[in-house]
Amino acid sequence: MKQPSVNEIEKQSTGIPGFDLIAYGGLPRGRTTLLVGTAGSAKTIFSIQFLAAGIEQARQGAVFVTFEEMIGDIRHNVSGFGWDIARWEREGMWAFVDAAPRPLDDGEVVGAFDLGALLARIEHAVRTVNAKRVVLDSLGAVFTRLGEASILRNELLRISAALKAMGVTTIMTAERENDEGPLTRQGIEEFVADNVVIVRNVKDGERRRRTCEVLKFRGAYHQKGEFPFAILPGAGIQVIPLSAIELRQSSSELRIPSGSGDLDDMCGGGFFRDSIVLVSGATGTGKTLMCTHFLNGGLMAGERCLLFAFEESRQQLFRNASGWGVDFKSAEESGQLRVVCDYPEVASIEDHMITIKQVIEEFKPDRLAIDSLSAIERISSDRGFREFVIGLTSFIKHGEIAALFTSNTPTLMGGSSVTETHISSITDSIILLRYVETFGEISRGVMVLKMRGSFHDKEIREFNIDGTGMHIGRPFRNMTGILAGNPHHVTTSEADRLEGLFTEGAR
């Protein structure tokens, strides 16, 4: 979706990758944004990243008002993201306003609590560092000291008006008790603030899934809905803006070898240069071997190749490839091949998405293989996996990279999987590998089910695996039910009878 071209309120970039896309440029400049979420939803990280981006990208001073955490703890907690607050303080770019309670305070409020002194301290800090960005973390701690609920709204309006008069873009954080209940504990903050952004950390099955949502921008456009995000060491928050995906990638007529001459013949001359191929089959049918052939075809052509493996270690992959006559070790040492191995469970699906993108951008491969998507599927919900697949395939297509993905079928004899359901419509080619039982023996079959924009072989062919890899042979005759996972023989007389029925119908 394109950013609206009509004149609207000027935006202030947050510096958070992906967020400015869904916010059409960032937060409205000179206004107050309420950032709400439960404990652990990344409100403070979001806020400090907003301030850090202003310093690093635009040399804008920053003021952080803390009502809960100690200043020393804040400096230490965010150092892992590469934000050196102490240095910025020495350079006169960052100022703290410490309004946190002292450890020995008894919390007793005598008389009316007045925010006048606090606002004066904030204004002094803004002038001292020439700040353009301010964060108040968090409102809940302030309101517990105000005592009477009747004055909360007036005090919040007073804070917002004072900050707007200073000409700063402000984030105020507030806690909510749960992700499905009221936005804030007091229930009034969201009606006073100009803008509201929600961050969530919702339990999704056995894991938690982080999302953010722009609930409202007063007088400004923004995209609707929740968007997943991840928190990365040394980087901070990265939002995955799926709605920013556009179908504008180019299409190539150039063919590239699959690594198997027999498979090239079945595909009408090989894969297209920018195609995404899905190879689906049960365990042991030859999916990893097909990945090896695909990558070796690129290596032989002098291309840069990248493999993400989520089920086997580097040593296993190199040993197996060597057994088929492919030297992955030398290719990796020369820099022509990169292999990344990880168990899916070590990170969230959003983390894996961002890591894959970063490695692709850094290595710039001509070919990419992922073995297998089914391993990624098991760590996510259906919705999260669908978003992962859509975002990844779009990114690969825009980079015009030839890609091959593998997926496991739910049974040894075939059947469709959740992976196929989510990805089959957006892949260019689908290759099915199947076990076929024939007279007490197990054979393997291969079929090109789909080849977008090209003629391809429609027959299911037998193939075998030896020390040199895959060899595709003759098509199965007098067999039916292979794709359904229930292969059985058809006698010669029955086959002749069926052929006769079709012949008569054609007359």
PDB file of all heavy atoms in Angstrom, residues 29 51 86 93 116 119 190 234 249 277 282 291 308 311 328 334 343 356-357 363 384 413 450 467 475 507:
ATOM      1  N   ARG A  29       4.784  14.632  14.515  1.00  0.00           N
ATOM      2  CA  ARG A  29       5.773  15.514  15.129  1.00  0.00           C
ATOM      3  C   ARG A  29       5.100  16.532  16.061  1.00  0.00           C
ATOM      4  O   ARG A  29       4.049  17.084  15.751  1.00  0.00           O
ATOM      5  CB  ARG A  29       6.543  16.257  14.034  1.00  0.00           C
ATOM      6  CG  ARG A  29       7.737  17.066  14.544  1.00  0.00           C
ATOM      7  CD  ARG A  29       8.351  17.866  13.415  1.00  0.00           C
ATOM      8  NE  ARG A  29       8.857  17.018  12.357  1.00  0.00           N
ATOM      9  CZ  ARG A  29      10.087  16.489  12.329  1.00  0.00           C
ATOM     10  NH1 ARG A  29      10.912  16.744  13.332  1.00  0.00           N
ATOM     11  NH2 ARG A  29      10.469  15.741  11.317  1.00  0.00           N
ATOM     12  N   LEU A  51      14.379   7.525  21.176  1.00  0.00           N
ATOM     13  CA  LEU A  51      15.304   8.588  21.558  1.00  0.00           C
ATOM     14  C   LEU A  51      16.682   8.389  20.927  1.00  0.00           C
ATOM     15  O   LEU A  51      17.303   9.343  20.429  1.00  0.00           O
ATOM     16  CB  LEU A  51      15.446   8.641  23.079  1.00  0.00           C
ATOM     17  CG  LEU A  51      14.191   8.969  23.896  1.00  0.00           C
ATOM     18  CD1 LEU A  51      14.531   9.008  25.385  1.00  0.00           C
ATOM     19  CD2 LEU A  51      13.569  10.272  23.460  1.00  0.00           C
ATOM     20  N   ALA A  86      25.541   6.868  28.636  1.00  0.00           N
ATOM     21  CA  ALA A  86      26.517   7.653  29.403  1.00  0.00           C
ATOM     22  C   ALA A  86      27.323   8.567  28.473  1.00  0.00           C
ATOM     23  O   ALA A  86      27.602   9.728  28.814  1.00  0.00           O
ATOM     24  CB  ALA A  86      27.442   6.719  30.176  1.00  0.00           C
ATOM     25  N   MET A  93      23.795  15.377  24.757  1.00  0.00           N
ATOM     26  CA  MET A  93      22.691  14.993  23.871  1.00  0.00           C
ATOM     27  C   MET A  93      21.553  14.292  24.621  1.00  0.00           C
ATOM     28  O   MET A  93      20.475  14.113  24.070  1.00  0.00           O
ATOM     29  CB  MET A  93      23.204  14.060  22.760  1.00  0.00           C
ATOM     30  CG  MET A  93      24.248  14.666  21.841  1.00  0.00           C
ATOM     31  SD  MET A  93      23.611  16.098  20.934  1.00  0.00           S
ATOM     32  CE  MET A  93      22.290  15.343  19.981  1.00  0.00           C
ATOM     33  N   GLY A 116       3.603  20.707  38.950  1.00  0.00           N
ATOM     34  CA  GLY A 116       4.265  21.920  38.490  1.00  0.00           C
ATOM     35  C   GLY A 116       5.772  21.837  38.571  1.00  0.00           C
ATOM     36  O   GLY A 116       6.490  22.211  37.634  1.00  0.00           O
ATOM     37  N   LEU A 119       7.129  19.418  35.865  1.00  0.00           N
ATOM     38  CA  LEU A 119       7.111  20.020  34.537  1.00  0.00           C
ATOM     39  C   LEU A 119       8.236  21.041  34.387  1.00  0.00           C
ATOM     40  O   LEU A 119       8.833  21.164  33.306  1.00  0.00           O
ATOM     41  CB  LEU A 119       5.759  20.655  34.257  1.00  0.00           C
ATOM     42  CG  LEU A 119       4.580  19.684  34.118  1.00  0.00           C
ATOM     43  CD1 LEU A 119       3.268  20.447  33.945  1.00  0.00           C
ATOM     44  CD2 LEU A 119       4.802  18.759  32.927  1.00  0.00           C
ATOM     45  N   GLU A 190      -5.947   7.015  27.177  1.00  0.00           N
ATOM     46  CA  GLU A 190      -6.071   6.916  25.719  1.00  0.00           C
ATOM     47  C   GLU A 190      -6.985   7.972  25.124  1.00  0.00           C
ATOM     48  O   GLU A 190      -6.911   8.267  23.928  1.00  0.00           O
ATOM     49  CB  GLU A 190      -6.563   5.515  25.322  1.00  0.00           C
ATOM     50  CG  GLU A 190      -7.929   5.132  25.864  1.00  0.00           C
ATOM     51  CD  GLU A 190      -7.850   4.383  27.184  1.00  0.00           C
ATOM     52  OE1 GLU A 190      -6.901   4.645  27.964  1.00  0.00           O
ATOM     53  OE2 GLU A 190      -8.729   3.551  27.431  1.00  0.00           O
ATOM     54  N   GLY A 234      21.867  -6.011  20.129  1.00  0.00           N
ATOM     55  CA  GLY A 234      22.661  -5.105  19.324  1.00  0.00           C
ATOM     56  C   GLY A 234      21.880  -4.291  18.327  1.00  0.00           C
ATOM     57  O   GLY A 234      22.452  -3.485  17.591  1.00  0.00           O
ATOM     58  N   GLN A 249       7.708  -7.330  -8.353  1.00  0.00           N
ATOM     59  CA  GLN A 249       8.944  -7.956  -8.757  1.00  0.00           C
ATOM     60  C   GLN A 249       8.903  -8.288 -10.252  1.00  0.00           C
ATOM     61  O   GLN A 249       7.847  -8.557 -10.821  1.00  0.00           O
ATOM     62  CB  GLN A 249       9.215  -9.230  -7.957  1.00  0.00           C
ATOM     63  CG  GLN A 249       8.150 -10.305  -8.112  1.00  0.00           C
ATOM     64  CD  GLN A 249       7.045 -10.174  -7.091  1.00  0.00           C
ATOM     65  OE1 GLN A 249       6.925  -9.156  -6.428  1.00  0.00           O
ATOM     66  NE2 GLN A 249       6.227 -11.200  -6.964  1.00  0.00           N
ATOM     67  N   VAL A 277      10.777 -22.744  -5.669  1.00  0.00           N
ATOM     68  CA  VAL A 277      10.398 -24.144  -5.875  1.00  0.00           C
ATOM     69  C   VAL A 277      10.138 -24.789  -4.517  1.00  0.00           C
ATOM     70  O   VAL A 277      10.952 -24.658  -3.590  1.00  0.00           O
ATOM     71  CB  VAL A 277      11.507 -24.912  -6.622  1.00  0.00           C
ATOM     72  CG1 VAL A 277      11.091 -26.364  -6.854  1.00  0.00           C
ATOM     73  CG2 VAL A 277      11.843 -24.224  -7.943  1.00  0.00           C
ATOM     74  N   ALA A 282       7.863 -37.220   2.084  1.00  0.00           N
ATOM     75  CA  ALA A 282       8.052 -37.809   3.403  1.00  0.00           C
ATOM     76  C   ALA A 282       9.540 -37.886   3.722  1.00  0.00           C
ATOM     77  O   ALA A 282      10.401 -37.691   2.860  1.00  0.00           O
ATOM     78  CB  ALA A 282       7.420 -39.194   3.455  1.00  0.00           C
ATOM     79  N   CYS A 291      18.019 -30.605  -2.580  1.00  0.00           N
ATOM     80  CA  CYS A 291      18.650 -29.339  -2.181  1.00  0.00           C
ATOM     81  C   CYS A 291      20.127 -29.342  -2.573  1.00  0.00           C
ATOM     82  O   CYS A 291      20.658 -28.347  -3.079  1.00  0.00           O
ATOM     83  CB  CYS A 291      18.532 -29.138  -0.676  1.00  0.00           C
ATOM     84  SG  CYS A 291      16.981 -28.446  -0.114  1.00  0.00           S
ATOM     85  N   PHE A 308      20.033 -22.668   4.478  1.00  0.00           N
ATOM     86  CA  PHE A 308      19.569 -22.655   5.861  1.00  0.00           C
ATOM     87  C   PHE A 308      19.060 -24.049   6.189  1.00  0.00           C
ATOM     88  O   PHE A 308      18.124 -24.537   5.547  1.00  0.00           O
ATOM     89  CB  PHE A 308      18.450 -21.635   6.060  1.00  0.00           C
ATOM     90  CG  PHE A 308      18.917 -20.208   6.083  1.00  0.00           C
ATOM     91  CD1 PHE A 308      18.916 -19.455   4.924  1.00  0.00           C
ATOM     92  CD2 PHE A 308      19.367 -19.627   7.253  1.00  0.00           C
ATOM     93  CE1 PHE A 308      19.340 -18.137   4.930  1.00  0.00           C
ATOM     94  CE2 PHE A 308      19.803 -18.316   7.269  1.00  0.00           C
ATOM     95  CZ  PHE A 308      19.793 -17.562   6.104  1.00  0.00           C
ATOM     96  N   GLU A 311      17.315 -28.913  10.424  1.00  0.00           N
ATOM     97  CA  GLU A 311      17.131 -30.275  10.921  1.00  0.00           C
ATOM     98  C   GLU A 311      18.448 -31.051  11.002  1.00  0.00           C
ATOM     99  O   GLU A 311      18.528 -32.039  11.722  1.00  0.00           O
ATOM    100  CB  GLU A 311      16.147 -31.041  10.026  1.00  0.00           C
ATOM    101  CG  GLU A 311      14.732 -30.493  10.086  1.00  0.00           C
ATOM    102  CD  GLU A 311      13.754 -31.240   9.201  1.00  0.00           C
ATOM    103  OE1 GLU A 311      14.137 -31.624   8.079  1.00  0.00           O
ATOM    104  OE2 GLU A 311      12.604 -31.435   9.628  1.00  0.00           O
ATOM    105  N   PHE A 328      30.926 -29.628  -0.415  1.00  0.00           N
ATOM    106  CA  PHE A 328      30.427 -28.402   0.209  1.00  0.00           C
ATOM    107  C   PHE A 328      31.521 -27.710   1.025  1.00  0.00           C
ATOM    108  O   PHE A 328      31.551 -26.486   1.120  1.00  0.00           O
ATOM    109  CB  PHE A 328      29.241 -28.721   1.114  1.00  0.00           C
ATOM    110  CG  PHE A 328      27.916 -28.731   0.407  1.00  0.00           C
ATOM    111  CD1 PHE A 328      26.749 -29.066   1.081  1.00  0.00           C
ATOM    112  CD2 PHE A 328      27.818 -28.397  -0.935  1.00  0.00           C
ATOM    113  CE1 PHE A 328      25.518 -29.064   0.440  1.00  0.00           C
ATOM    114  CE2 PHE A 328      26.599 -28.404  -1.592  1.00  0.00           C
ATOM    115  CZ  PHE A 328      25.453 -28.743  -0.897  1.00  0.00           C
ATOM    116  N   SER A 334      35.933 -21.399   0.156  1.00  0.00           N
ATOM    117  CA  SER A 334      36.223 -20.430  -0.899  1.00  0.00           C
ATOM    118  C   SER A 334      35.307 -19.212  -0.849  1.00  0.00           C
ATOM    119  O   SER A 334      35.533 -18.236  -1.571  1.00  0.00           O
ATOM    120  CB  SER A 334      36.097 -21.099  -2.270  1.00  0.00           C
ATOM    121  OG  SER A 334      34.743 -21.430  -2.557  1.00  0.00           O
ATOM    122  N   TYR A 343      18.621 -25.050  15.262  1.00  0.00           N
ATOM    123  CA  TYR A 343      17.329 -25.639  15.609  1.00  0.00           C
ATOM    124  C   TYR A 343      16.290 -24.517  15.632  1.00  0.00           C
ATOM    125  O   TYR A 343      16.557 -23.420  16.143  1.00  0.00           O
ATOM    126  CB  TYR A 343      17.382 -26.321  16.973  1.00  0.00           C
ATOM    127  CG  TYR A 343      17.908 -27.733  16.937  1.00  0.00           C
ATOM    128  CD1 TYR A 343      19.066 -28.087  17.612  1.00  0.00           C
ATOM    129  CD2 TYR A 343      17.231 -28.720  16.230  1.00  0.00           C
ATOM    130  CE1 TYR A 343      19.554 -29.385  17.583  1.00  0.00           C
ATOM    131  CE2 TYR A 343      17.700 -30.021  16.196  1.00  0.00           C
ATOM    132  CZ  TYR A 343      18.868 -30.354  16.869  1.00  0.00           C
ATOM    133  OH  TYR A 343      19.346 -31.635  16.826  1.00  0.00           O
ATOM    134  N   ILE A 356      17.251 -14.480   8.628  1.00  0.00           N
ATOM    135  CA  ILE A 356      17.353 -14.921   7.225  1.00  0.00           C
ATOM    136  C   ILE A 356      17.525 -13.720   6.308  1.00  0.00           C
ATOM    137  O   ILE A 356      18.370 -13.712   5.402  1.00  0.00           O
ATOM    138  CB  ILE A 356      16.115 -15.750   6.834  1.00  0.00           C
ATOM    139  CG1 ILE A 356      16.127 -17.093   7.568  1.00  0.00           C
ATOM    140  CG2 ILE A 356      16.074 -15.984   5.316  1.00  0.00           C
ATOM    141  CD1 ILE A 356      14.865 -17.910   7.389  1.00  0.00           C
ATOM    142  N   LYS A 357      16.732 -12.676   6.525  1.00  0.00           N
ATOM    143  CA  LYS A 357      16.846 -11.473   5.699  1.00  0.00           C
ATOM    144  C   LYS A 357      18.225 -10.837   5.828  1.00  0.00           C
ATOM    145  O   LYS A 357      18.827 -10.420   4.829  1.00  0.00           O
ATOM    146  CB  LYS A 357      15.759 -10.469   6.087  1.00  0.00           C
ATOM    147  CG  LYS A 357      14.360 -10.822   5.602  1.00  0.00           C
ATOM    148  CD  LYS A 357      13.395  -9.694   5.942  1.00  0.00           C
ATOM    149  CE  LYS A 357      12.022  -9.950   5.367  1.00  0.00           C
ATOM    150  NZ  LYS A 357      11.086  -8.823   5.653  1.00  0.00           N
ATOM    151  N   PHE A 363      25.169 -11.639   2.400  1.00  0.00           N
ATOM    152  CA  PHE A 363      25.868 -12.590   1.532  1.00  0.00           C
ATOM    153  C   PHE A 363      25.533 -12.394   0.050  1.00  0.00           C
ATOM    154  O   PHE A 363      26.321 -12.724  -0.818  1.00  0.00           O
ATOM    155  CB  PHE A 363      25.525 -14.018   1.966  1.00  0.00           C
ATOM    156  CG  PHE A 363      26.313 -15.082   1.263  1.00  0.00           C
ATOM    157  CD1 PHE A 363      27.677 -15.208   1.481  1.00  0.00           C
ATOM    158  CD2 PHE A 363      25.690 -15.960   0.387  1.00  0.00           C
ATOM    159  CE1 PHE A 363      28.403 -16.192   0.835  1.00  0.00           C
ATOM    160  CE2 PHE A 363      26.414 -16.954  -0.260  1.00  0.00           C
ATOM    161  CZ  PHE A 363      27.777 -17.068  -0.030  1.00  0.00           C
ATOM    162  N   GLY A 384       1.067 -17.155  12.410  1.00  0.00           N
ATOM    163  CA  GLY A 384       2.451 -16.719  12.412  1.00  0.00           C
ATOM    164  C   GLY A 384       3.251 -17.351  11.284  1.00  0.00           C
ATOM    165  O   GLY A 384       4.083 -16.683  10.650  1.00  0.00           O
ATOM    166  N   MET A 413       3.490 -42.154   3.277  1.00  0.00           N
ATOM    167  CA  MET A 413       2.993 -42.400   1.928  1.00  0.00           C
ATOM    168  C   MET A 413       2.468 -41.138   1.248  1.00  0.00           C
ATOM    169  O   MET A 413       1.949 -41.201   0.143  1.00  0.00           O
ATOM    170  CB  MET A 413       1.884 -43.465   1.962  1.00  0.00           C
ATOM    171  CG  MET A 413       2.337 -44.799   2.522  1.00  0.00           C
ATOM    172  SD  MET A 413       3.834 -45.444   1.732  1.00  0.00           S
ATOM    173  CE  MET A 413       3.222 -45.807   0.088  1.00  0.00           C
ATOM    174  N   LYS A 450       3.492 -28.636 -10.528  1.00  0.00           N
ATOM    175  CA  LYS A 450       3.195 -27.277 -10.982  1.00  0.00           C
ATOM    176  C   LYS A 450       4.477 -26.638 -11.489  1.00  0.00           C
ATOM    177  O   LYS A 450       5.539 -26.758 -10.875  1.00  0.00           O
ATOM    178  CB  LYS A 450       2.622 -26.463  -9.812  1.00  0.00           C
ATOM    179  CG  LYS A 450       2.513 -24.964 -10.036  1.00  0.00           C
ATOM    180  CD  LYS A 450       2.080 -24.296  -8.739  1.00  0.00           C
ATOM    181  CE  LYS A 450       2.095 -22.786  -8.816  1.00  0.00           C
ATOM    182  NZ  LYS A 450       1.731 -22.144  -7.553  1.00  0.00           N
ATOM    183  N   GLY A 467      25.493 -43.464  -5.226  1.00  0.00           N
ATOM    184  CA  GLY A 467      26.626 -42.672  -4.790  1.00  0.00           C
ATOM    185  C   GLY A 467      26.848 -41.401  -5.579  1.00  0.00           C
ATOM    186  O   GLY A 467      27.641 -40.549  -5.156  1.00  0.00           O
ATOM    187  N   PRO A 475       8.389 -43.692 -16.267  1.00  0.00           N
ATOM    188  CA  PRO A 475       7.166 -43.416 -15.509  1.00  0.00           C
ATOM    189  C   PRO A 475       6.540 -44.707 -14.998  1.00  0.00           C
ATOM    190  O   PRO A 475       6.743 -45.789 -15.572  1.00  0.00           O
ATOM    191  CB  PRO A 475       6.271 -42.714 -16.524  1.00  0.00           C
ATOM    192  CG  PRO A 475       6.752 -43.170 -17.852  1.00  0.00           C
ATOM    193  CD  PRO A 475       8.237 -43.366 -17.708  1.00  0.00           C
ATOM    194  N   ARG A 507     -14.830 -39.869 -29.263  1.00  0.00           N
ATOM    195  CA  ARG A 507     -15.347 -39.967 -30.632  1.00  0.00           C
ATOM    196  C   ARG A 507     -16.593 -39.076 -30.826  1.00  0.00           C
ATOM    197  O   ARG A 507     -17.341 -38.865 -29.948  1.00  0.00           O
ATOM    198  CB  ARG A 507     -15.693 -41.412 -30.940  1.00  0.00           C
ATOM    199  CG  ARG A 507     -14.473 -42.318 -31.036  1.00  0.00           C
ATOM    200  CD  ARG A 507     -14.886 -43.755 -31.249  1.00  0.00           C
ATOM    201  NE  ARG A 507     -13.699 -44.619 -31.303  1.00  0.00           N
ATOM    202  CZ  ARG A 507     -13.773 -45.956 -31.382  1.00  0.00           C
ATOM    203  NH1 ARG A 507     -14.962 -46.561 -31.411  1.00  0.00           N
ATOM    204  NH2 ARG A 507     -12.677 -46.646 -31.419  1.00  0.00           N
TER     205      ARG A 507
END
